[in-house]
Amino acid sequence: MSSTAIPRSRVLQRTVALDTPPSSASNSASVSPEDTPRHSPSSTSLSSLDSDTLLDKGNGKLVDTYGNEFEIPDFTIKQIRDAIPAHCFERSAIRGLSYVARDLASLAVTFCLFYHFVTPENVPSTPVRGLLWAVYTFVQGLFGTGLWVLSHECGHQSFSPSKKLNDTVGWICHSALLVPYFSWKISHGKHHKATGHIERDMVFVPKTRKEFASQLGYCAHQLSELMEETPIKTAVELVGQQLVGWLLYLSTNITGHDFHARQPEGRGRGKANGWFTGVNHFNPSSPLYEAKDAKLVLLSDLGLAITGTILFVLGQQFGWANLAVWYFVPYLWVNHWLVAITYLQHTDPSLPHYTPSSWTFTRGAAATIDREFGFIGRTLMHGIVETHVLHHYVSTIPFYHADEASEAIKPIMGRHYRSDTQDGAWGFVKSLWKSARWCNWVEPVEGAEGEGQGVLFFRNRNGLGLPPASVGECKET
């Protein structure tokens, strides 16, 4: 297959600024490490700001998977925060609770309508009735995802000024969705502190060239010789990811980092991601947590136990087939949207990852991309798809101010801002396939120098974009 890399475009030169470490007050404030002038033929962003050439800062020539030139960002967290209007940081408990009420009412009304009207008496045709109930599971999955996002707001303390209210609402709503709230909150916080770090990130950490090759039984240098992955294999893996990815993440830490021996209390020694290894979101002694987190992990488990008990009683009383349609299939839809959103926020041919020597908080936090999911994303899912870049800078900004804050930081980010909004909601869905085909593993850019050697970009075995670098026999990268 021929390369689909597009011509390089010109970008704006910027003055180098000192990096600023994150503070507890800023939570997720940071700066972005991306600079593809244009991401792809299917993306739009503020990175159309141009100049004749990129500044050479001793990193060699860095290029993303599309072949576009990349420069490590040169602005600071302070510049980002100063650009955001002060009122965008304001949180309202009443407004937050009103959105919770809206989502709960949507779930309840939808259930009541279908329960009372989509019956054999009103809809005699079994196929039609089955189709309507299938629509029910899809719609409830959307509303459930909205409630999940509000719980996510609670975990970041952007729901209201009250930590007690945030954690109470988050624990109740997440438990109802079979999510271990505090356990997730802790590991998700670590994701925000190490986004884009190839050895510390907690979410969709890509395989290195060596890891990808060894998984297939090859040496790293042999990847460029492999045949294209069959589309059916890509499809099977993608369906599996969307169907059970979230459950595997909670149970085995799949897609999270696997360097648990570095856990400061020593509880990660000899442990690795996988089944029955103790690396999960339910075990208080998991290396994902510290000893001080034990009570919160157990409280999360208690929430799951309460929800599980309620579901068991309902299943016994109304039948497990009914409960599967009423709750468990919508639950799988929620999991699907959660995984899709997270995967596409952090997996794109234009996004870098960093080795420890080149990573900083400000670079890593912007190794993410905004997308567009139309009415579903902006209204039902509270903008989590459309404003994720901003979220990794300042995670305490509530979602209802995120659009304005996102627009405010774009002039600061310039070419480093990433978005893919073409084709709207359908484009978002198509990006699942695109990322699965384009983003197989990450590796350094051939010819990179200095810090640039620690900037990793996606490559693939499918002939898409730039080919894998040529490496010596059995050289591991």
Side-chain angles (χ1 to χ4, degrees):
M1 257 174 146
S2 61
S3 170
T4 58
I6 63 173
R8 296 186 298 273
S9 59
R10 301 173 301 148
V11 294
L12 179 67
Q13 292 184 348
R14 286 189 177 276
T15 304
V16 180
L18 295 176
D19 211 357
T20 304
S23 66
S24 58
S26 65
N27 279 285
S28 285
S30 120
V31 199
S32 139
E34 305 128 76
D35 121 294
T36 323
R38 298 159 59 194
H39 329 126
S40 76
S42 65
S43 56
T44 57
S45 81
L46 204 70
S47 47
S48 57
L49 296 175
D50 295 335
S51 89
D52 290 335
T53 58
L54 288 167
L55 290 172
D56 181 2
K57 299 177 182 176
N59 297 322
K61 182 180 178 181
L62 304 180
V63 290
D64 66 15
T65 314
Y66 293 121
N68 292 321
E69 293 190 36
F70 174 89
E71 185 185 7
I72 297 173
D74 51 14
F75 50 90
T76 66
I77 297 173
K78 184 178 187 305
Q79 288 176 292
I80 291 290
R81 293 184 65 86
D82 288 349
I84 300 172
H87 67 267
C88 289
F89 295 89
E90 296 175 0
R91 299 161 292 172
S92 168
I94 294 177
R95 191 166 183 179
L97 288 170
S98 71
Y99 282 107
V100 171
R102 186 202 76 176
D103 287 352
L104 290 174
S106 299
L107 288 163
V109 169
T110 302
F111 175 79
C112 289
L113 288 174
F114 276 79
Y115 180 80
H116 289 290
F117 295 105
V118 184
T119 63
E121 294 77 18
N122 295 321
V123 186
S125 172
T126 300
V128 173
R129 199 165 62 251
L131 179 61
L132 289 174
W133 277 106
V135 172
Y136 162 89
T137 65
F138 175 76
V139 173
Q140 292 290 73
L142 296 178
F143 292 143
T145 304
L147 192 64
W148 203 108
V149 173
L150 293 178
S151 302
H152 169 266
E153 293 268 302
C154 291
H156 281 291
Q157 306 304 312
S158 59
F159 183 80
S160 81
S162 169
K163 186 176 185 297
K164 287 185 178 179
L165 177 63
N166 295 338
D167 286 339
T168 300
V169 173
W171 180 76
I172 293 173
C173 293
H174 254 176
S175 296
L177 296 168
L178 291 178
V179 177
Y181 171 72
F182 290 104
S183 304
W184 160 84
K185 174 185 171 182
I186 295 167
S187 68
H188 187 68
K190 293 180 179 181
H191 158 60
H192 271 261
K193 292 176 182 177
T195 304
H197 193 300
I198 199 67
E199 296 183 5
R200 286 177 47 216
D201 200 353
M202 299 292 296
V203 173
F204 282 108
V205 180
K207 291 179 174 61
T208 62
R209 180 172 180 151
K210 173 190 171 183
E211 292 167 341
F212 186 86
S214 62
Q215 180 178 276
L216 299 176
Y218 292 92
C219 288
H221 77 280
Q222 295 173 302
L223 283 181
S224 58
E225 304 168 8
L226 296 183
M227 295 179 62
E228 175 184 348
E229 181 177 85
T230 61
I232 187 64
K233 183 175 185 295
T234 305
V236 169
E237 292 179 349
L238 191 57
V239 169
Q241 170 184 291
Q242 296 308 120
L243 190 63
V244 298
W246 171 243
L247 297 176
L248 289 177
Y249 174 69
L250 293 178
S251 303
T252 69
N253 198 44
I254 192 171
T255 81
H257 79 76
D258 205 7
F259 292 86
H260 305 297
R262 301 174 185 176
Q263 205 269 356
E265 296 176 332
R267 57 173 62 192
R269 294 194 189 102
K271 293 184 178 181
N273 295 342
W275 292 104
F276 312 116
T277 63
V279 184
N280 59 58
H281 285 72
F282 313 109
N283 182 1
S285 63
S286 168
L288 301 180
Y289 309 109
E290 299 176 25
K292 64 182 178 63
D293 301 323
K295 291 181 180 180
L296 294 176
V297 175
L298 291 174
L299 185 57
S300 302
D301 294 344
L302 175 62
L304 299 182
I306 293 172
T307 300
T309 301
I310 294 172
L311 291 173
F312 178 79
V313 171
L314 292 174
Q316 291 290 96
Q317 182 171 350
F318 295 99
W320 292 102
N322 283 333
L323 188 61
V325 175
W326 295 345
Y327 181 89
F328 287 110
V329 178
Y331 166 76
L332 291 178
W333 273 114
V334 172
N335 292 355
H336 155 72
W337 291 123
L338 169 63
V339 172
I341 290 166
T342 309
Y343 176 64
L344 292 179
Q345 286 168 341
H346 300 282
T347 310
D348 186 83
S350 69
L351 297 180
H353 285 74
Y354 297 88
T355 63
S357 62
S358 295
W359 181 90
T360 67
F361 180 77
T362 54
R363 294 171 185 175
T368 185
I369 185 170
D370 287 342
R371 299 186 187 272
E372 178 62 52
F373 204 18
F375 173 80
I376 291 175
R378 292 188 174 277
T379 302
L380 301 186
M381 296 180 181
H382 307 293
I384 194 171
V385 174
E386 293 79 9
T387 60
H388 196 69
V389 173
L390 177 278
H391 177 66
H392 269 277
Y393 285 128
V394 191
S395 63
T396 53
I397 290 180
F399 74 90
Y400 42 82
H401 292 319
D403 276 317
E404 182 180 359
S406 292
E407 292 302 316
I409 69 173
K410 286 181 182 179
I412 303 299
M413 295 185 68
R415 61 182 174 271
H416 303 296
Y417 172 75
R418 293 286 177 275
S419 70
D420 188 343
T421 60
Q422 186 164 328
D423 297 329
W426 177 235
F428 174 81
V429 175
K430 289 193 299 182
S431 292
L432 279 171
W433 179 258
K434 177 181 177 182
S435 291
R437 296 291 286 176
W438 279 73
C439 305
N440 291 168
W441 72 85
V442 293
E443 63 179 48
V445 177
E446 202 165 12
E449 302 171 358
E451 267 195 317
Q453 294 177 315
V455 182
L456 313 178
F457 279 103
F458 285 105
R459 298 292 185 259
N460 60 78
R461 56 184 288 194
N462 300 318
L464 299 168
L466 292 187
S470 299
V471 298
E473 186 170 340
C474 287
K475 180 179 179 181
E476 296 179 349
T477 54

